Amino acid sequence: VQLQASGGGPVQPGGSLSLSCAASGSDSAFNFIGWYRQEKGKEREVVATISRIGSRHYGDSVKGRFLISREIGENTAFLQMNALTPEDTAVYYCYAEGSTRDGTFYNGPWWGQGTQVTVSS
């Protein structure tokens, strides 16, 4: 399984950024794709996840500001981040779980390398 993330970078408070995560290595759609984030000295926390049928889950701190999307049955997810604040500064990790290969199910999860998002004036 490979996860290819893109996007991120620096942005001013109140601005927007988008991330994408392309997962490969499954014969079918991954059960879940999404992002977690981690600030220095803190535990990794969920940002947003989306299931293979489009069910979305958001962390409390991003509800109403972030939107995750994915074509049904596809393995690329997109995260639109709006109204960013300095508290959103973190390394964002693309993640996936639940894949099938040659008839065998693998739960995972698998993680991408991480991309830095820095919100600062």
Side-chain angles (χ1 to χ4, degrees):
V1 172
Q2 289 190 326
L3 300 176
Q4 183 66 47
S6 62
V11 65
Q12 292 189 340
S16 298
L17 279 176
S18 60
L19 303 178
S20 67
C21 175
S24 61
S26 178
D27 295 337
S28 61
F30 285 85
N31 284 359
F32 295 93
I33 299 177
W35 283 268
Y36 281 65
R37 68 186 183 188
Q38 188 168 23
E39 299 174 60
K40 281 186 180 179
K42 294 186 178 180
E43 292 187 357
R44 193 171 293 189
E45 64 174 1
V46 62
V47 177
T49 65
I50 188 166
S51 75
R52 62 192 299 168
I53 60 171
S55 297
R56 298 173 173 88
H57 170 73
Y58 295 97
D60 288 341
S61 62
V62 307
K63 285 179 180 176
R65 300 188 297 123
F66 290 13
L67 176 66
I68 189 169
S69 61
R70 175 186 182 183
E71 293 292 331
I72 300 299
E74 297 293 323
N75 286 327
T76 299
F78 305 91
L79 183 67
Q80 179 64 38
M81 304 184 291
N82 300 318
L84 286 160
T85 73
E87 288 68 38
D88 295 313
T89 296
V91 178
Y92 284 66
Y93 293 92
C94 173
Y95 120 105
E97 69 174 275
S99 75
T100 303
R101 193 68 182 261
D102 297 329
T104 300
F105 177 79
Y106 300 92
N107 193 60
W110 300 272
W111 299 93
Q113 278 190 314
T115 185
Q116 179 70 44
V117 171
T118 301
V119 186
S120 174
S121 56

